[in-house]
Structures are given as C-alpha cells and as structure tokens.
C-alpha cells in the first residue's frame, strides 16, 4: 500500500486532527495525513491552542488504525512522529544531530546558549548547566476505540518552521523558537520538510509494525533526564522532583522520590497538566495561548 494512503493539503481548516479523525471514521486506511497552512481551531493538551500565522508553521496530523499495536503501546505512535520530525528538521536546517530535543511529554524543543546559538547534546545533558529552553513544536495524540478491533489514533504536530524571530508574538517570544531561528536565519522550505518527515515516518512506522521501537533514539533525545522538573497536576498540586529518565514500556517519566530514601516512581502523561524545568518561572508561551497543535 502507498505511504501515505491519503494526503491532502489545505489552506485553512478548523483542526487537522479533526480532518483526519473524520477520514478514519469514514473508512480511510492508515496512514493518512492532512496538512494545513493555518488552523482556526488547532488545539493542544488541556484545551490549549495553536498560535501561528499562515505559512509560518508546518501543521499536520497523521491517522492510524493501530490494531497491530498493543493498547498500552499506543503512545509510541506519537513518539515515532516526534522522532521522524526531529530527524527531518535537523537535516533540512543543517543542525547537529541531537540539537532538537524531546521535552516530555509532548514537545520538541531547542536549547540555546547565552549568545543565542543552539547548544549541542553535551551541554543539554549536563544537568547542572543552565540552558535556555525554547519550544519548537507541540504534539497532540487522540485515540478512539482503544483496545477494540476498530481502534483509531490521530497524532497532530505543529512545528514552527519558516518563522523569523522578529515576527514572534511578543507574549510568547521568550519561550518559543522556530527552525529558521535555530538554523541562524536559513529560509525553511515547508514542502521539503514535509517530504523528509514522511520518508522518515514510513521507516519508523514499518519498524514499529514489525515490533521494533527505537528506544535508544527516543531516550537519547530526552531533555529532562537528570534535571529538576516541576510537575503541575490537574488539581493544582505541584511537585519539584529530579527526572531520572523515561520508561520504554509505558512512556512514563521516571522521577526520584521527594525525600532521600523514597523510591523512584513513574509519572504518566494523564497525571500532569504541565511539566516545567524546576525552579523556573513559567516561560512566556506557557499560558493558554501557548503555541501547541
């Protein structure tokens, strides 16, 4: 079967996730992709919205029928989408491998030095080194019929692509970046980025179908490993704990106990509303108008 099975490009839609969800309900086979220049009702986790001018971001959603994937592994669909986009974006923008990081649970981010240049993996992986984290992309995964023979899954991603820094919204600028900014001002061809993403996604999806998930690649891009993180729960409770890593079986974030001697524990995506680097004030762009798909 051709990959993707269906792809359509739109000037503007309400939400690419909604477009792809409707296709799946109508019987469109996986893997189907909707791409838009702009969205009227793009959304993220907990009702947050996507903010991007037309043509500045690569906005797309990917639809799956993952009957071939165990229900408790469905989170890996979003992971392979994120990894495929990170690989494609680094290649197109001429960035060093590992420049684009995964910020658990659903963001792509880039770390910048005090001089405004992206920093490499070694600097990011030093938990005692202060770094300026800026959001590059957000993901949103939605499922229907999980655990049944008619399961459907949609993964949306919005990546700030050819968006110059001087055009960023003032209230979001401090906490966001774009591929154009990270590349030092290089114009970003969204069509080429899409092609690179789809080629890498096909390879990763076929591997996942065959029972292989790139655990090493997923873990190596994690931003939070070794760092203090501030976990904000839906009920308003807040904890600042040290992130130890991620669990490749459940997708959970592994954190140290609150006190010496306390056991480490797993934190699942649904348990928190926000994750921020511990000890820092909320960055611009982290309110309800933050840039998310």
């Amino acid at each position: 079967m051709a990959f993707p099975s269906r792809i359509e490009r739109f000037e503007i839609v309400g939400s690419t996730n909604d477009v792809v969800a409707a296709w799946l309900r109508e019987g469109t086979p996986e893997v189907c992709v909707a791409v838009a220049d702009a969205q009227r009702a793009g959304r993220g986790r907990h009702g947050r919205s996507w903010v991007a001018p037309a043509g500045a971001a690569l906005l797309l959603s990917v639809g799956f029928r993952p009957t071939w994937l165990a229900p408790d592994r469905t989170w890996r669909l979003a992971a392979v989408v994120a990894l495929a986009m990170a690989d494609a974006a680094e290649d197109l923008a001429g960035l060093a491998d590992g420049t684009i990081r995964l910020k658990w649970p659903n963001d792509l981010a880039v770390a910048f030095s005090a001089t405004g240049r992206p920093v490499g993996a070694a600097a990011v992986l030093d938990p005692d080194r202060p770094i300026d984290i800026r959001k590059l992309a957000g993901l949103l995964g939605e499922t229907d019929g999980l655990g049944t023979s008619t399961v459907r899954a949609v993964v949306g991603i919005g990546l700030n692509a050819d968006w110059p820094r001087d055009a960023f919204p003032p209230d979001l600028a401090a906490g966001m970046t774009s591929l154009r900014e990270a590349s030092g001002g290089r114009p970003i061809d969204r069509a080429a980025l899409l092609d690179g993403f789809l080629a890498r996604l096909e390879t990763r999806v076929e591997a996942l179908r065959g029972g292989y998930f790139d655990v090493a690649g997923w873990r190596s891009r994690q931003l939070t490993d070794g760092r203090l993180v501030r976990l904000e729960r839906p009920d308003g409770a807040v904890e600042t704990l040290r992130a130890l890593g991620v669990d490749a079986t459940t997708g959970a974030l592994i954190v140290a106990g609150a006190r010496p001697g306390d056991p480490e524990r797993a934190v699942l995506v649904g348990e928190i509303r926000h994750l921020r680097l511990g000890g820092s004030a909320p960055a611009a762009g982290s309110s309800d108008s933050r840039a998310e798909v």
Side-chain angles (χ1 to χ4, degrees):
M1 183 178 292
F3 188 97
S5 65
R6 177 179 182 177
I7 181 168
E8 292 191 31
R9 298 168 175 81
F10 303 89
E11 288 187 6
I12 186 168
V13 296
S15 161
T16 54
N17 265 32
D18 290 344
V19 170
V20 170
W23 289 351
L24 292 173
R25 288 195 299 270
E26 294 163 1
T28 300
E30 64 174 15
V31 172
C32 50
V33 179
V35 186
D37 291 335
Q39 297 183 109
R40 292 185 297 268
R43 61 185 181 274
R45 296 179 69 237
H46 304 293
R48 295 188 292 273
S49 59
W50 173 272
V51 180
L58 180 60
L59 310 173
L60 63 89
S61 295
V62 186
F64 301 91
R65 298 183 179 279
T67 54
W68 42 271
L69 193 60
D72 62 353
R73 303 291 192 277
T74 305
W75 64 269
R76 290 181 172 178
L77 296 172
V80 298
V81 168
L83 289 169
M85 186 62 79
D87 288 343
E90 286 176 348
D91 185 49
L92 183 68
L95 300 173
D97 291 349
T99 299
I100 297 174
R101 314 298 295 182
L102 305 180
K103 178 176 175 287
W104 190 91
N106 68 328
D107 290 345
L108 297 182
V110 177
F112 286 81
S113 69
T115 61
R117 298 179 62 84
V119 298
V124 175
L125 293 174
D126 179 356
D128 297 319
R129 177 171 177 171
I131 49 176
D132 177 14
I133 302 300
R134 303 178 195 170
K135 180 172 176 174
L136 177 67
L139 289 95
L140 176 67
E142 298 177 308
T143 60
D144 185 51
L146 195 62
T148 74
S149 61
T150 58
V151 59
R152 301 183 294 270
V154 180
V155 178
I157 183 168
L159 180 140
N160 299 327
D162 196 37
W163 195 349
R165 183 161 187 81
D166 59 10
F168 290 175
D171 59 329
L172 302 179
M176 65 176 284
T177 189
S178 68
L179 203 53
R180 181 165 181 158
E181 180 190 25
S183 69
R186 176 187 300 188
I188 301 300
D189 184 333
R190 290 185 303 134
L193 178 59
L194 175 63
D195 288 344
F197 164 72
L198 291 175
R200 290 164 175 81
L201 181 65
E202 181 176 15
T203 299
R204 288 188 176 276
V205 170
E206 286 305 309
L208 197 58
R209 280 178 173 274
Y212 173 76
F213 174 62
D214 184 11
V215 174
W218 180 64
R219 282 179 168 159
S220 70
R221 285 191 184 270
Q222 296 297 323
L223 174 65
T224 53
D225 285 10
R227 294 185 176 273
L228 289 175
V229 293
R230 177 183 168 93
L231 303 176
E232 301 179 12
R233 300 184 182 278
D235 63 2
V238 175
E239 290 183 291
T240 299
L241 304 167
R242 188 164 304 273
L244 303 177
V246 285
D247 181 77
T249 300
T250 64
L253 180 72
I254 307 301
V255 295
R259 294 175 298 275
D262 286 354
E264 63 186 48
R265 73 175 197 268
V267 179
L268 296 172
V269 172
E271 296 178 36
I272 66 163
R273 185 174 181 86
H274 295 294
L275 179 147
R276 310 185 196 280
L277 293 185
S280 61
S286 62
S287 68
D288 282 352
S289 61
R290 66 187 290 185
E292 295 219 33
V293 67

